[in-house]
Amino acid sequence: MITQVLAIFLTAICGGLLAWKFKQPLISGYLLASVVVAIFFGRILRPEANEAVGQLGLTLLLFSIGLEFSFRRLARVKAIAVLGAIIQIVITTAIFFFILNLVFGFLPASALVLAYAFSMASTAVVTKVLLEKGHMDTLKGEIATGWLMTQDLAVLPGLILIGQIGQIGLIWKDTGLAIVKSAVLLYLIVFLGKKILPKILDKAARINNRELFTLTIVAIILVSAMAANFAGLSLAIGAFIAGLIIAESAQNHTVFAEIRPLRDVFAVVFFVGIGLGTDLGYLANWTNLMNLIAVTLLIFLIKIIVSLVITIRFKYHLKTAMEVAFAVSGVGEFALVLGLAALARGIITPAENAFLTGVAIFSMSFSPFIINLGLPVFEKTKNLAGRWSPKLYKLLFSEFDTYRKERGEVVAYDHVITCGHGRVGKQISRILALAGIPYVVVDFNHLTISELSATGVETVLGDPADIDVLRFAGIAKAVMVVVAVPDRHSQELIISHALTLKPGIPIICRSHFDEDRGRLYAVGANYVIQPEMEAGLTMGHKLLDVLGFEKQTINAFVKQVRKEQER
């Protein structure tokens, strides 16, 4: 047993280090390393010994995901994130079901489980990529994370359905009754949880003993898991529900801080155990391996197309739609969860679970590359369409940018063009309004533009990185351009196009990363502002002010730090 546990953690460390070195999600490293270890040492190790610990790890993992779930964040893009994600799950599940059933010969029950699992992307992989790029709070980031939150919640009906599928197929009458029963019991769990859990956590926190508080949290998880199990659901669902309830309480951050170390350890055991338990005999077959790769690529393609069409139908700009579609196109860790549950019920065979695991491993390994292709594919498609097919260009691109087709160029003089109206752009616009300086907001979020237009603000719905959109915004008569969009590629295009249309126009740009400042200055920006640095300087200024330093001394210190940062 000690050898088994040691092998698990050594595998996780090696896989994690490799993933970190190549800037990939750690989960991909765990899975790939565990498969490699299984190939060479599979006869020595006993993957079945991981099952109990892995189930506990899965329970804690789902609890922490529920704890991190934010209904407030979801509310900002609820239409596209909720309805769009549900439509995507339904459509892609139907498509994958017919492909797996009719083309690859899977039995209906197996095909349904695998199709549903393949319809969900990886929250862990996508959020990691968005955080690394500084795109979490962008429009595409908010839509993608909201979309993924909905998919996380969709695991619940998936696990409920798996619990009702027999080996010979679906018994629809029994399934419907079971789902109603489960829904009633779930409602009781949630209702009682909201009434009782916050009080228990408050009392545990007042004791002011970290060890007792942690034990209380674990007890809550286990009680919720047992209640769900009594309702005919899995332990993991109960833990997930407990996380959702606590996420809305005042103690949510404290709970997450206490449970995260345990979650990480057991999650590693779960994911490594998945790889060690892979049916290598299935993967060793060349035909099976080719089918696996073909299905993985097909999943990316189908989900990109479906998600792209859905996002466009919600009236989002093609650029946003393409970036979101590429972000949510993969297969995620919950596919493994669903596969494990289906395998335990005898709905899918070990070979079919190996197929599912292989698709998930390939998908999570390549997803970071696929996610980053959204913007380049958009730009490449746009350039090719503009060069070879004006009709296609107008259909795919111009229609998204001509918000005021009945009017010509924006009628404004001596105005400031603000590119992007997110958290930064919003503050700039407010200052310009207070100062009485005319300004035009350029953004490709139709909801933002509609709200601003309703208040009388001069707006342009379009991609600010498009030279025609900047021309439409009246840059020839503008006095300055403010680049408030977060991604460097768009920033460079805006600066370049602005200087092409009006050489010498002053440009102020934001930047999250130190390494981007030099590139933006080289392209032609006059000022590059780093929000994080400005926040640090402001906090330092306030700190010294509270400690009683003279304003002249404080200003000198701040000036010195600013010079050091700009070197």
Side-chain angles (χ1 to χ4, degrees):
M1 185 65 180
I2 297 297
T3 304
Q4 185 80 13
V5 174
L6 180 62
I8 289 172
F9 284 102
L10 287 177
T11 300
I13 291 170
C14 293
L17 286 173
L18 282 173
W20 173 79
K21 182 176 178 60
F22 291 101
K23 298 181 179 180
Q24 299 303 305
L26 295 183
I27 291 174
S28 300
Y30 299 151
L31 291 168
L32 289 171
S34 61
V35 171
V36 172
V37 169
I39 292 173
F40 292 100
F41 304 102
R43 295 180 180 179
I44 302 173
L45 299 174
R46 294 182 295 111
E48 64 275 5
N50 307 327
E51 186 174 350
V53 181
Q55 283 295 331
L56 182 56
L58 173 60
T59 301
L60 289 172
L61 178 65
L62 289 185
F63 172 76
S64 63
I65 289 175
L67 195 61
E68 292 180 277
F69 194 91
S70 172
F71 286 101
R72 295 184 186 89
R73 186 180 184 90
L74 187 62
R76 280 182 254 172
V77 286
K78 59 183 177 182
I80 177 67
V82 177
L83 188 56
I86 292 173
I87 294 171
Q88 178 254 304
I89 289 172
V90 172
I91 293 175
T92 53
T93 298
I95 294 172
F96 297 150
F97 173 79
F98 286 111
I99 291 174
L100 293 170
N101 180 235
L102 300 179
V103 178
F104 291 92
F106 285 86
L107 293 175
S110 302
L112 180 60
V113 171
L114 267 63
Y116 193 78
F118 293 158
S119 70
M120 300 178 188
S122 172
T123 303
V125 173
V126 176
T127 52
K128 182 179 185 298
V129 173
L130 292 173
L131 283 169
E132 287 178 348
K133 295 288 183 180
H135 294 171
M136 200 70 172
D137 293 316
T138 63
L139 178 60
K140 72 169 182 182
E142 289 189 343
I143 294 175
T145 51
W147 195 297
L148 293 168
M149 286 179 184
T150 303
Q151 290 188 348
D152 289 346
L153 286 178
V155 173
L156 296 179
L159 289 172
I160 292 172
L161 189 62
I162 284 173
Q164 310 305 322
I165 298 178
Q167 291 185 354
I168 59 173
L170 290 172
I171 305 174
W172 294 108
K173 182 180 178 181
D174 294 342
T175 300
L177 291 174
I179 290 176
V180 171
K181 173 188 171 185
S182 299
V184 172
L185 290 172
L186 280 175
Y187 175 78
L188 290 175
I189 293 170
V190 173
F191 177 77
L192 293 174
K194 284 186 175 180
K195 295 290 185 181
I196 298 172
L197 286 189
K199 295 179 180 178
I200 294 175
L201 288 172
D202 285 340
K203 289 184 177 180
R206 287 174 186 172
I207 296 174
N208 200 25
N209 186 293
R210 185 173 182 179
E211 185 175 339
L212 289 175
F213 188 74
T214 303
L215 289 174
T216 302
I217 297 167
V218 174
I220 288 172
I221 297 171
L222 294 177
V223 169
S224 181
M226 289 173 62
N229 191 48
F230 177 76
L233 307 175
S234 71
L235 298 174
I237 290 180
F240 185 70
I241 294 170
L244 289 175
I245 296 170
I246 295 175
E248 300 301 311
S249 72
Q251 300 291 339
N252 63 331
H253 296 295
T254 307
V255 172
F256 183 73
E258 295 297 330
I259 206 67
R260 183 171 182 175
L262 288 174
R263 184 282 305 263
D264 291 342
V265 171
F266 285 108
V268 165
V269 175
F270 171 71
F271 285 114
V272 173
I274 288 290
L276 291 177
T278 302
D279 186 347
L280 299 175
Y282 181 88
L283 296 180
N285 184 287
W286 182 255
T287 302
N288 292 340
L289 189 61
M290 289 298 100
N291 287 340
L292 188 152
I293 294 172
V295 169
T296 303
L297 295 175
L298 195 61
I299 288 170
F300 276 121
L301 179 62
I302 291 173
K303 290 181 74 174
I304 286 172
I305 293 172
V306 171
S307 303
L308 180 66
V309 172
I310 290 172
T311 312
I312 290 173
R313 294 296 297 172
F314 274 85
K315 299 182 180 180
Y316 284 94
H317 192 279
L318 181 60
K319 182 177 182 179
T320 302
M322 196 164 285
E323 289 187 290
V324 170
F326 274 78
V328 300
S329 62
V331 176
E333 56 275 3
F334 277 121
L336 302 174
V337 174
L338 292 169
L340 195 65
L343 181 64
R345 293 282 299 178
I347 301 166
I348 63 175
T349 65
E352 290 168 340
N353 188 53
F355 180 80
L356 187 153
T357 303
V359 170
I361 290 172
F362 274 123
S363 178
M364 286 193 284
S365 299
F366 289 106
S367 280
F369 301 102
I370 300 296
I371 294 169
N372 290 326
L373 284 177
L375 185 57
V377 169
F378 170 80
E379 295 293 345
K380 189 70 174 178
T381 306
K382 185 176 182 179
N383 293 336
L384 288 175
R387 187 181 305 170
W388 300 106
S389 178
K391 290 184 178 180
L392 184 63
Y393 181 89
K394 182 179 180 181
L395 176 66
L396 293 178
F397 300 97
S398 296
E399 291 299 317
F400 291 96
D401 293 329
T402 51
Y403 178 64
R404 303 178 181 185
K405 285 185 270 189
E406 72 280 2
R407 290 180 48 184
E409 181 182 293
V410 168
V411 180
Y413 298 91
D414 297 332
H415 60 289
V416 174
I417 298 178
T418 304
C419 300
H421 195 75
R423 292 189 302 173
V424 174
K426 188 180 297 183
Q427 306 305 323
I428 295 169
S429 297
R430 177 58 180 159
I431 290 172
L432 290 172
L434 290 173
I437 299 173
Y439 65 98
V440 175
V441 174
V442 182
D443 200 295
F444 43 64
N445 186 345
H446 67 283
L447 297 177
T448 298
I449 293 299
S450 297
E451 291 173 2
L452 290 173
S453 298
T455 62
V457 175
E458 194 77 47
T459 60
V460 174
L461 176 65
D463 181 8
D466 190 320
I467 192 169
D468 292 327
V469 173
L470 288 177
R471 184 183 291 111
F472 186 86
I475 193 171
K477 296 168 285 188
V479 296
M480 185 172 288
V481 174
V482 176
V483 184
V485 297
D487 64 285
R488 193 193 69 206
H489 181 75
S490 295
Q491 291 170 342
E492 291 178 351
L493 285 175
I494 293 170
I495 295 168
S496 177
H497 291 158
L499 293 174
T500 298
L501 294 172
K502 188 172 183 178
I505 186 171
I507 299 173
I508 302 177
C509 185
R510 66 180 285 192
S511 175
H512 276 292
F513 305 104
D514 292 336
E515 57 268 24
D516 292 346
R517 293 175 68 246
R519 293 176 63 101
L520 295 172
Y521 276 125
V523 174
N526 299 92
Y527 309 95
V528 178
I529 310 299
Q530 291 182 275
E532 289 81 4
M533 185 183 79
E534 295 303 321
L537 293 176
T538 302
M539 291 174 72
H541 189 288
K542 177 59 69 176
L543 172 65
L544 296 181
D545 183 42
V546 172
L547 293 175
F549 282 73
E550 294 183 359
K551 289 187 177 181
Q552 186 176 358
T553 303
I554 297 174
N555 292 333
F557 289 158
V558 170
K559 186 176 181 181
Q560 181 179 341
V561 173
R562 191 183 297 278
K563 282 185 178 180
E564 291 172 356
Q565 292 292 327
E566 292 177 353
R567 287 174 185 172

